[in-house]
Amino acid sequence: MRISMQLRYDGDIVAAAEQVAELERAGLDLIWVPEAYGHDAPSFMGFIAARTRRVEIGSGIMSVYTRTPALLAMTAAGVDALSGGRCHLGLGTSGPRVVEGLHGVPYREPVARTRETIAVLRAFWRREEPVTYEGRVHRLPLPPGEGGGTGLGTAMKLLTPPVRPAVPVWVASLGPRNVRMTAEVADGWLPMFFDPERCDEVWGDDLRAGAARRDPGLGPLRISAGGLLAIGPDAARARELARGQLALFIGGMGAAGHNYYYDLVCRYGYRAQAEAVARLFRAGDRAGAAAAVPAELLEATTLCGPEGYVKERVAAYRAAGVTELQVVPVPQDGQTEAGLLSRLKELCD
């Protein structure tokens, strides 16, 4: 099992990116560079590429509503060239609050848009011929009259040959239709708040349905999932640090009735608790919302405890199909992030 992390963006992102070189030496295999509504991901992906030699670099995630498929293809090909073939393209749909509020783009047909975007990306990377595409969401070239098209568009292909014929495409998805699509067409899956013991119960049917339609040439679906990591006699207390994030996503990431994370926690069996978290969060009581997050959910979505316990959690993620264990290191007394990653690497081998 490989080790992945997400770059922190709630502080000095340049310093965090510089630290990736140290984490690379400690055994980090893949760093995910976030993009929400602050800095863009590709700038820092290129920055990291220039300061590392081995670690793979993924966008975690870029929204399919914020860039055309052609620009996504060019961006990924560019980072892949800068890094010597180490780029991963993590995609997602975000939600209407951000897509329509920040970008002013209608939030329509998210599953179809993601599926079609991936198809167009791969056509551009193959560079076999000028790309034409007729889909429900994307049409290349744009026909006359459609969306204000002039009819003068010309089918084109990438000017420069990509380093690789395809960049691995990962999709962040949680809902049933989106997970089925991910299992069918993506190279990898990025589920958030992943409970390995409940994975089959919640997503198993959708993953199998998508896999049944999957092109064998794609290989098995890769999965990057995990949570807070702390190893030590008293490390279980570190999982309490996840309360605030869980409360934010359950209560604040999306409008009422349109929140994937709230829906996921309900599917895990915590509907009453999710309702309480959301109600308190929307009322402005963030501390109360965090306190209402069930302890069982905290434990299920983190890896915090004595070494033997963490080893058992690693085994549970492996049994659930996780290929890249994605962690947020929380060093205990005398530990460093790099040292913690090195020990996790040993536990995963």
Side-chain angles (χ1 to χ4, degrees):
M1 187 185 298
R2 302 191 336 144
I3 306 299
S4 68
M5 282 179 57
Q6 185 175 80
L7 187 71
R8 292 177 179 168
Y9 64 100
D10 55 354
D12 186 339
I13 193 168
V14 174
E18 292 280 15
Q19 190 186 13
V20 175
E22 179 184 358
L23 298 173
E24 177 184 51
R25 291 190 292 273
L28 181 65
D29 296 297
L30 173 58
I31 185 73
W32 295 105
V33 181
E35 181 175 281
Y37 36 91
H39 297 293
D40 73 298
S43 296
F44 286 93
M45 293 171 73
F47 183 85
I48 292 169
R51 285 158 173 75
T52 56
R53 292 293 177 267
R54 181 192 60 82
V55 70
E56 296 167 24
I57 306 161
S59 58
I61 59 170
M62 292 196 288
S63 171
V64 294
Y65 288 93
T66 61
R67 298 166 175 86
T68 66
L71 180 55
L72 285 168
M74 291 189 290
T75 300
V79 174
D80 212 38
L82 287 171
S83 63
R86 291 184 282 144
C87 180
H88 293 249
L89 183 60
L91 299 175
T93 60
S94 186
R97 179 172 286 183
V98 172
V99 170
E100 297 186 357
L102 181 66
H103 299 287
V105 177
Y107 189 82
R108 296 173 183 157
E109 303 204 59
V111 177
R113 178 176 289 270
T114 305
R115 176 189 290 275
E116 292 183 13
T117 295
I118 294 171
V120 176
L121 287 172
R122 289 175 174 154
F124 274 115
W125 290 329
R126 287 193 298 270
R127 203 170 171 268
E128 294 171 347
E129 57 187 1
V131 175
T132 60
Y133 189 82
E134 292 285 331
R136 285 165 50 189
V137 176
H138 295 302
R139 302 186 73 182
L140 297 173
L142 187 66
E146 184 170 317
T150 64
L152 300 177
T154 301
M156 305 178 73
K157 65 180 182 179
L158 294 187
L159 180 64
T160 50
V163 171
R164 293 183 289 175
V167 172
V169 178
W170 297 67
V171 175
S173 56
L174 295 174
R177 291 179 58 237
N178 213 0
V179 169
R180 283 197 299 275
M181 180 274 299
T182 301
E184 180 185 348
V185 304
D187 295 284
W189 179 35
L190 290 163
M192 198 167 183
F193 303 130
F194 184 86
D195 180 342
E197 282 83 9
R198 288 186 170 89
C199 174
D200 190 69
E201 173 189 345
V202 172
W203 291 300
D205 289 345
D206 299 311
L207 289 169
R208 285 184 284 271
R213 298 169 56 89
R214 187 177 180 83
D215 181 348
L218 289 173
L221 182 71
R222 297 163 68 175
I223 304 174
S224 181
L228 287 182
L229 168 70
I231 302 176
D234 300 317
R237 63 190 178 188
R239 66 175 68 116
E240 291 293 317
L241 297 172
R243 281 190 180 277
Q245 185 190 39
L246 275 161
L248 169 64
F249 277 75
I250 296 169
M253 286 295 181
H258 204 294
N259 183 324
Y260 309 119
Y261 310 100
Y262 173 92
D263 293 342
L264 173 62
V265 172
C266 290
R267 294 175 74 193
Y268 278 162
Y270 301 107
R271 180 172 296 277
Q273 296 93 326
E275 289 175 354
V277 170
R279 183 177 65 254
L280 290 164
F281 194 93
R282 289 196 295 268
D285 185 1
R286 295 199 172 195
V293 173
E296 296 86 351
L297 180 62
L298 288 175
E299 181 171 5
T301 55
T302 58
L303 303 93
C304 300
E307 187 170 289
Y309 171 84
V310 172
K311 191 170 184 177
E312 291 175 359
R313 297 305 296 152
V314 168
Y317 280 93
R318 180 182 285 112
V322 172
T323 56
E324 273 86 0
L325 188 62
Q326 185 169 328
V327 297
V328 179
V330 182
Q332 302 300 288
D333 295 340
Q335 295 177 339
T336 63
E337 284 194 353
L340 196 52
L341 274 187
S342 292
R343 186 64 194 120
L344 178 64
K345 191 77 173 178
E346 294 172 358
L347 296 177
C348 288
D349 289 340

